[in-house]
Structure formats: C-alpha cells, structure tokens
C-alpha cells in the first residue's frame, strides 16, 4: 500500500535521473537523510559547510581503500578494482564539483578556495562526496563505460556508503556556518548553474 511510503521531501533525495541508465545508485536511508539535512542547512538556513572539512574526500576514500586492502589481502583483483574506482571517483569529484555539486550559496567560497589553488578532494568532505554519488548516473551517461564497469562502480559506491554509515561519527564532522550579508549578496548575483 502507498500509505506507508514517505513522501520525498526534497529533489536531492530523488536519486533517479532522466534517460536510460547504465548505472543505478541506491543510497542507504541514513545517507539520504544526511543529504536532506545538507539541503536544508544551505537552502533554508543559509548556512554552508566551512572549508577545509576534516576528514576530506581524499582522506575518506583513502581510508576506505586501506580498509578494503586489509580486508581482501589475498584478493589481488578485488584490490586492483577498488583502487581504480577510488581513483576514478576522485577524478569525477575534482571535475564535477564546480559544475554539478554546489548550491548557489556555496559558490563564492568555492571561487575563493579552489580558484585560490586548493584541490577540491582535499578541502571538501563527506556531504559533497554523497552529492557526487547521487550524480554518478548522470556523469557516466555519456562515457564509454560498459554496463559491467558501471555496475562495478555502483556496487563499490554502495560499499563505500556502508563504510560511511558505520563510521559516520568520525566522517560527518563538517561544520555549517551562517553566511555573512556579503556572501549572501554575492551568491544572489550568481545565476544557478
């Protein structure tokens, strides 16, 4: 019955994107909830994540890889696959942060930090990594990934999400901060991309 189904509150919680998909990402409910909280902090409360975030996307993914390496020490193929996917996720993050993963309010800080020479994976954290996971089906849409490769990435993302859930207290430590009038004005002047 439909009665028990919760209404999706924000567009961010809806993982499906249009078009035929070669990749499906299923986020655990706890991670969906974090994305909704993230959306509300920024768009309702006008607070954005302070940079740099500890641990960073890079630290989170490297720690996860260390965990897989220990866990699968005999399985060379598994370790190699994981290494490749982790490196690919870092690249995707690096290239899509400015175009796909930010809200309007976050742009002035992004301009300052990233255009100022900081590497995105070293200053952004778990919330932005989750946003990447949600966008992955769209990002791989026009690549030459095979269905098998896409599903391997989706499976790894699902394992990473499990890891994030288990270690949430150490991973989701970023602080949101109310924005100054100047920043709010700057953000208003920007068109939403």
């Amino acid at each position: 019955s439909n009665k028990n189904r919760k209404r999706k509150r924000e567009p961010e919680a809806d993982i499906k994107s249009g078009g035929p998909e070669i990749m499906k990402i299923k986020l655990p409910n706890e991670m969906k909830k974090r994305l909704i909280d993230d959306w509300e902090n920024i768009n309702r409360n006008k607070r954005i994540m302070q940079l740099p975030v500890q641990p960073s996307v890079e630290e989170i993914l490297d720690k996860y890889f260390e965990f897989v390496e220990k866990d699968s020490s005999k399985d060379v193929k598994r370790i190699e696959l994981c290494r490749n996917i982790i490196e690919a996720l870092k690249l995707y993050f690096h290239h899509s942060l400015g175009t796909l993963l930010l809200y309007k309010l976050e742009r002035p800080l992004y301009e300052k930090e990233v255009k100022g020479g900081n590497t995105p994976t070293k200053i952004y954290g778990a919330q932005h990594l989750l946003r990447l996971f949600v966008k992955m089906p769209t990002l791989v849409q026009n690549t030459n990934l095979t269905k098998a490769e896409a599903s391997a990435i989706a499976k790894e993302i699902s394992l990473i999400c499990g890891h994030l859930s288990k270690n949430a207290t150490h991973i989701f430590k970023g602080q949101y901060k109310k924005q100054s009038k100047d920043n709010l004005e700057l953000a208003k002047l920007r068109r939403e991309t």
Side-chain angles (χ1 to χ4, degrees):
S1 87
N2 280 349
K3 267 191 294 206
N4 299 341
R5 219 183 275 153
K6 280 196 185 131
R7 237 169 19 97
K8 286 189 175 142
R9 288 164 34 202
E10 305 301 351
E12 222 51 26
D14 187 4
I15 309 306
K16 291 204 173 43
S17 58
E21 269 176 22
I22 60 165
M23 181 189 281
K24 288 215 181 327
I25 302 290
K26 279 193 88 54
L27 287 191
N29 286 337
E30 184 198 339
M31 296 299 124
K32 285 184 193 172
K33 186 184 171 330
R34 286 187 183 275
L35 276 175
I36 291 169
D37 291 346
D38 184 43
W39 187 95
E40 288 181 343
N41 259 308
I42 296 164
N43 297 299
R44 287 222 174 105
N45 307 332
K46 305 292 179 233
R47 296 153 65 93
I48 65 169
M49 188 66 74
Q50 290 313 106
L51 300 178
V53 180
Q54 291 291 324
S56 67
V57 166
E58 193 164 295
E59 289 164 336
I60 292 166
L61 291 174
D62 289 349
K63 267 265 181 297
Y64 169 76
F65 179 68
E66 281 170 29
F67 160 77
V68 169
E69 237 178 350
K70 276 196 197 92
D71 202 44
S72 318
S73 56
K74 304 277 181 284
D75 190 346
V76 182
K77 262 203 171 115
R78 164 80 186 104
I79 290 170
E80 196 48 37
L81 176 70
C82 180
R83 177 185 286 117
N84 291 338
I85 291 174
I86 293 295
E87 288 313 309
L89 287 173
K90 287 178 188 174
L91 273 176
Y92 273 115
F93 188 86
H94 190 80
H95 290 295
S96 59
L97 179 71
T99 51
L100 263 186
L101 306 181
L102 296 174
Y103 295 110
K104 194 159 61 167
L105 193 58
E106 297 174 295
R107 291 199 161 277
L109 188 59
Y110 165 80
E111 302 276 328
K112 195 175 112 199
E113 293 291 337
V114 176
K115 300 275 163 74
N118 284 308
T119 311
T121 50
K122 287 186 160 78
I123 59 171
Y124 286 87
Q127 272 83 357
H128 289 81
L129 184 58
L130 285 180
R131 293 186 206 171
L132 172 72
F133 293 165
V134 170
K135 298 286 188 196
M136 281 305 287
T138 315
L139 286 168
V140 301
Q141 203 65 347
N142 301 314
T143 61
N144 49 10
L145 282 183
T146 65
K147 208 157 169 71
E149 289 166 333
S151 82
I153 294 172
K155 187 178 171 199
E156 200 68 60
I157 286 174
S158 157
L159 293 169
I160 294 170
C161 283
H163 179 78
L164 294 180
S165 292
K166 254 192 223 118
N167 301 286
T169 47
H170 304 299
I171 290 175
F172 290 90
K173 286 173 28 179
Q175 300 290 314
Y176 290 93
K177 189 175 163 209
K178 254 290 190 239
Q179 286 309 285
S180 68
K181 283 262 186 311
D182 290 352
N183 254 9
L184 290 171
E185 285 309 309
L186 268 175
K188 255 194 210 124
L189 295 172
R190 290 169 188 288
R191 286 204 322 270
E192 195 106 41
T193 52

